């Protein structure tokens, strides 16, 4: 859902709520760096941060097999 909202941000004026978000909680954070599924999450997060430069991001995951990827990101 985040990816869709970010892609259509400029086209829809009712997405001004993104500017008001102070904390973005991302579950399944271990997908960052995943070669098959991580790209969409990374792009959506980067675009969201481009629109809202003050947002803080809290990453959640039951398992993190790739802590190095997350620290580099």
């Amino acid at each position: 859902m985040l990816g869709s909202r970010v892609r259509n941000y400029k086209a829809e004026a009712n997405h001004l709520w993104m500017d008001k978000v102070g904390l973005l909680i991302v579950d399944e954070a271990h997908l960052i760096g995943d070669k098959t599924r991580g790209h969409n999450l990374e792009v959506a997060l980067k675009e969201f941060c481009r629109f809202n430069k003050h947002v803080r991001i809290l990453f959640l995951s039951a398992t993190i097999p790739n802590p190095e990827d997350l620290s580099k990101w």
Side-chain angles (χ1 to χ4, degrees):
M1 181 167 125
L2 176 63
S4 172
R5 298 286 183 170
V6 170
R7 280 191 302 276
N8 297 316
Y9 181 78
K10 293 179 183 177
E12 298 182 33
N14 64 348
H15 289 183
L16 297 177
W17 61 269
M18 278 196 241
D19 297 331
K20 297 177 183 177
V21 173
L23 176 65
L24 184 62
I25 299 173
V26 178
D27 195 12
E28 304 298 330
H30 60 273
L31 292 179
I32 291 178
D34 183 276
K35 292 178 179 161
T36 58
R37 298 173 32 192
H39 179 74
N40 292 336
L41 176 58
E42 290 180 36
V43 169
L45 288 172
K46 286 179 182 179
E47 286 295 301
F48 191 97
C49 291
R50 191 167 64 92
F51 296 129
N52 183 336
K53 297 191 184 326
H54 303 290
V55 69
R56 291 178 182 233
I57 302 174
L58 174 64
F59 291 104
L60 302 176
S61 181
T63 61
I64 300 182
N66 57 339
E68 295 83 13
D69 291 334
L70 289 174
S71 67
K72 289 176 187 174
W73 192 84

